[in-house]
Amino acid sequence: MMMLLVLQQCMKILILPVYVLAYFGLWDSICKKTFPFFMKYFTKIYNKIMHKLKETLFKNMQDFADPSGKLHLLEIGVGPGTNFQFYPPNSCVTCVDYNPNFQNCLLENMAQNTHLHFENFVVASAENLSSVSDNSVDVVVCTLVLCSVNSPRTALKEILRVLKPGGAFYFIDHVAADRSTWMYFWQQRDLERVGERGVSKLNLQHLMGPLVLNLVRPHIYGYAVK
């Protein structure tokens, strides 16, 4: 319990500059170069707190491998690659991020995760995966991504497009509103509406995540099957 409290306080110190920069309108101008260095440490702390949840969430991922046993996995908003440790051995991973400056951090994590095969690093947003073919991947992963894109619904359409029939979309995201408000309801519905667009199963759960501001602590996580 004490370790959890210490980690949470460290996270508050690390993430505070993000809110300051955003408030003064400086975020967009400098984040592409500095954000990867910040995220490298932020996600390590976040992963320590969320380790058990991620292990549980991703434990059935191998069930979606193709008949040969290979799992073709696409991670959107891959950042520094801190989710790699949770992926099944011999997964073929394609990494997508809108920020090309993450590539150096990714190379470090790739070298540490030799149980995976890394196919490509694509510079793209979640709303535009045009370099990824239709029905081409077994699994798509997004963690703390959909909360920051301009159009979550467009991103979800792209995710469904690239997923093979029977493939799975795994997500962890915060919803920036209290659970009792209408805003929370509509933010959650962006993911729940996936079920109305060709998804056969949606497993969605709630938790209070280890972020600084109460506004962004409510999280949803789970997976959907196409």
Side-chain angles (χ1 to χ4, degrees):
M1 184 65 181
M2 180 61 69
M3 178 61 72
L4 178 61
L5 291 173
V6 170
L7 288 171
Q8 287 176 329
Q9 292 305 311
C10 289
M11 185 173 291
K12 288 181 180 181
I13 294 170
L14 284 170
I15 201 170
L16 180 61
V18 175
Y19 296 112
V20 174
L21 289 170
Y23 180 81
F24 287 106
L26 301 173
W27 178 250
D28 288 341
S29 62
I30 67 173
C31 73
K32 279 201 171 182
K33 291 184 178 178
T34 61
F35 194 48
F37 299 101
F38 163 76
M39 284 300 293
K40 179 179 178 181
Y41 298 104
F42 168 78
T43 52
K44 281 184 179 179
I45 295 172
Y46 186 87
N47 255 7
K48 285 183 180 179
I49 299 172
M50 302 287 279
H51 190 92
K52 284 294 182 183
L53 182 145
K54 287 189 175 184
E55 274 189 336
T56 301
L57 176 60
F58 297 142
K59 69 180 180 180
N60 68 336
M61 196 173 273
Q62 186 61 39
D63 295 346
F64 299 98
D66 67 20
S68 71
K70 284 187 177 180
L71 184 76
H72 298 274
L73 186 151
L74 174 71
E75 182 170 357
I76 303 171
V78 65
T82 50
N83 286 331
F84 292 162
Q85 62 183 295
F86 302 104
Y87 298 156
N90 299 317
S91 296
C92 300
V93 182
T94 296
C95 304
V96 174
D97 204 286
Y98 81 99
N99 191 340
N101 294 293
F102 273 119
Q103 196 158 9
N104 288 336
C105 298
L106 277 175
L107 290 173
E108 291 179 20
N109 268 330
M110 288 175 182
Q112 294 169 11
N113 289 276
T114 55
H115 66 294
L116 304 175
H117 300 292
F118 295 97
E119 297 190 321
N120 199 7
F121 174 62
V122 179
V123 179
S125 68
E127 298 104 317
N128 183 9
L129 303 173
S130 57
S131 61
V132 184
S133 301
D134 295 0
N135 306 312
S136 62
V137 295
D138 303 302
V139 163
V140 175
V141 175
C142 283
T143 58
L144 301 183
V145 173
L146 294 180
C147 57
S148 61
V149 301
N150 292 324
S151 175
R153 292 181 187 181
T154 301
L156 290 169
K157 286 180 180 178
E158 279 288 84
I159 289 165
L160 288 178
R161 179 184 64 78
V162 303
L163 266 179
K164 295 177 182 178
F169 165 45
Y170 290 83
F171 56 88
I172 302 173
D173 236 310
H174 68 72
V175 283
D178 186 83
R179 290 186 65 174
S180 64
T181 66
W182 279 107
M183 181 63 75
Y184 182 91
F185 172 78
W186 288 114
Q187 288 169 327
Q188 176 180 316
R189 283 292 289 160
D190 276 339
L191 276 169
E192 290 183 339
R193 281 176 178 163
V194 175
E196 300 167 9
R197 295 171 177 157
V199 166
S200 61
K201 177 181 179 181
L202 177 62
N203 182 329
L204 186 149
Q205 300 184 59
H206 304 271
L207 80 156
M208 295 300 287
L211 296 179
V212 181
L213 299 181
N214 286 336
L215 180 67
V216 292
R217 288 189 66 211
H219 279 51
I220 50 179
Y221 71 98
Y223 67 95
V225 180
K226 183 176 177 180

